[in-house]
Amino acid sequence: MASHCVTRLCTVPNPSLRLFLFHSAGGSHLLFRGWQQAFPSDWELCPVEAPGRGRLAGRPPAIDADELAAFLVSELAPWLAAPFALFGHSFGGLVAYDLALRLAAAGLPRPAWVGIS
């Protein structure tokens, strides 16, 4: 699976859950760098980078959460074979919520859980 927006904190073969993590508008995936140790070892934590940040710095940033969620539907589709959940902080929470709605509308797998802080 190749997606420049997804970072695996630790690659887990056949994860029982893949947790996608969405950062705040002014942040980056680095917010989540120490989180893997706080979760079960069979979970795969996957911070998601937005266009205009990190490895996607060369891409124009999304202008709002709706545009970012639309971008992420196609970017994350190959990653949705394993059970998954979405967690977003601040603006990332809005993105996680919008993404969950878009996945359902597109007939793609739905998250087991959506968390917002």
Side-chain angles (χ1 to χ4, degrees):
M1 286 176 289
S3 175
H4 297 292
C5 73
V6 176
T7 300
R8 292 180 185 181
L9 295 182
C10 181
T11 301
V12 177
N14 301 313
S16 67
L17 185 77
R18 183 170 284 139
L19 180 58
F20 294 102
L21 303 164
F22 303 93
H23 58 76
S24 63
S28 77
H29 74 285
L30 296 175
L31 170 69
F32 307 110
R33 68 180 169 259
W35 283 33
Q36 185 70 49
Q37 64 197 20
F39 289 86
S41 62
D42 62 344
W43 285 26
E44 186 171 67
L45 273 63
C46 298
V48 177
E49 195 89 73
R53 303 269 185 213
R55 290 188 309 265
L56 300 179
R59 294 183 65 120
I63 60 168
D64 57 28
D66 190 52
E67 182 180 322
L68 180 53
F71 167 79
L72 292 173
V73 168
S74 61
E75 286 289 306
L76 297 184
W79 294 79
L80 306 182
F84 70 97
L86 310 174
F87 172 79
H89 174 65
S90 190
F91 175 78
L94 182 58
V95 172
Y97 175 75
D98 193 4
L99 178 59
L101 294 176
R102 285 177 170 276
L103 292 171
L108 292 167
R110 296 178 184 195
W113 177 80
V114 177
I116 299 170
S117 70

